Amino acid sequence: MKCDSKEAVISNLRDAGCDTDTIAKFLQYRETGETNQQLRLLAAHRAQVLEHIHQGEKCITCLDYLIYQIKNSGI
């Protein structure tokens, strides 16, 4: 998706799970030409999303272990 218009940028940020504060900051940095700040903000959000994924993977691993135990040991 090309992010030329403000509306397209906002849509992309929402789709990426950014909250209204993050979107507002991003747009402020966009208006003032602070590309490094935009990148920092996106990197921070990306790290948060990745952390949630890792937490989800840990939950799945625990569930898989319990399923394995039930099938093999009859817990």
Side-chain angles (χ1 to χ4, degrees), residues 6 9 13 18 20-45:
K6 182 177 179 179
V9 171
L13 292 168
C18 294
T20 54
D21 289 338
T22 301
I23 292 171
K25 286 178 188 176
F26 184 89
L27 294 175
Q28 179 184 356
Y29 296 145
R30 184 176 189 236
E31 289 176 17
T32 58
E34 296 179 74
T35 305
N36 287 335
Q37 290 296 89
Q38 287 177 302
L39 294 172
R40 182 193 59 75
L41 191 65
L42 294 177
H45 181 69

